[in-house]
């Protein structure tokens, strides 16, 4: 079965950094996009960033562009989200997603149309 597992969350002071990791297992190929989403208490889930199936394109939410960097090690089926200059408003549960249907997934719209999701890793940024 397919599993998607995030790690790397924690508590950090404003201005600090965290690096989230997401490892996928069980998919029969490496030709899929992956994305990061987050959900704060009382708010809807929002797209943070995504990377295309061939790593040629990546997109970021306006709120994180310039501070977050998405990358992937396809050999290890692991995606990363380097988060720098963290702000209290970045506090949320962060979710990893993999393998959108054709015509969905990784675009500037950061739509949550993925087949597989991780359990989430909590990021808390204090003032």
């Amino acid at each position: 079965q397919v599993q998607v597992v995030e790690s790397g969350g924690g508590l950090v002071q404003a201005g600090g950094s965290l690096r989230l990791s997401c490892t996928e297992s069980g998919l029969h190929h490496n030709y899929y996009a992956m994305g990061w989403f987050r959900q704060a208490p009382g708010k809807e889930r929002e797209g943070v960033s995504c990377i295309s199936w061939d790593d040629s394109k990546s997109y970021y939410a306006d709120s994180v562009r310039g501070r977050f960097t998405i990358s992937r090690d396809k050999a290890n089926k692991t995606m990363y989200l380097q988060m720098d200059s963290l702000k209290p408003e970045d506090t949320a549960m962060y979710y990893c997603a993999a393998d959108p249907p054709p015509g969905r997934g990784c675009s500037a719209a950061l739509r949550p149309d993925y087949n597989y999701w991780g359990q989430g890793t909590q990021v808390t940024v204090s003032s």
Side-chain angles (χ1 to χ4, degrees):
Q1 62 178 356
V2 175
Q3 287 191 330
V4 180
V5 181
E6 311 94 331
S7 63
L11 175 64
V12 65
Q13 293 282 340
S17 298
L18 285 173
R19 191 190 193 198
L20 306 184
S21 298
C22 172
T23 298
E24 175 274 323
S25 63
L27 284 171
H28 297 164
H29 59 86
N30 287 325
Y31 308 110
Y32 53 87
M34 300 183 75
W36 288 101
F37 297 81
R38 67 186 183 186
Q39 186 169 20
K43 296 185 178 181
E44 295 185 357
R45 185 174 297 183
E46 64 174 348
V48 176
S49 182
C50 67
I51 188 165
S52 64
W53 70 272
D54 61 355
D55 296 344
S56 67
K57 295 177 290 185
S58 60
Y59 300 92
Y60 298 90
D62 290 342
S63 59
V64 308
R65 189 176 296 109
R67 300 187 297 118
F68 291 10
T69 304
I70 192 170
S71 62
R72 175 159 57 176
D73 178 356
K74 278 198 166 183
N76 293 316
K77 293 192 171 186
T78 301
M79 177 180 64
Y80 304 96
L81 185 67
Q82 178 67 43
M83 305 186 295
D84 298 320
S85 302
L86 283 162
K87 304 175 180 180
E89 50 262 46
D90 294 318
T91 295
M93 184 72 73
Y94 282 71
Y95 297 91
C96 173
D99 192 27
R104 298 289 187 271
C106 187
S107 71
L110 299 172
R111 290 182 292 267
D113 301 327
Y114 292 80
N115 289 318
Y116 305 103
W117 292 80
Q119 81 291 340
T121 185
Q122 178 67 39
V123 172
T124 302
V125 184
S126 62
S127 300

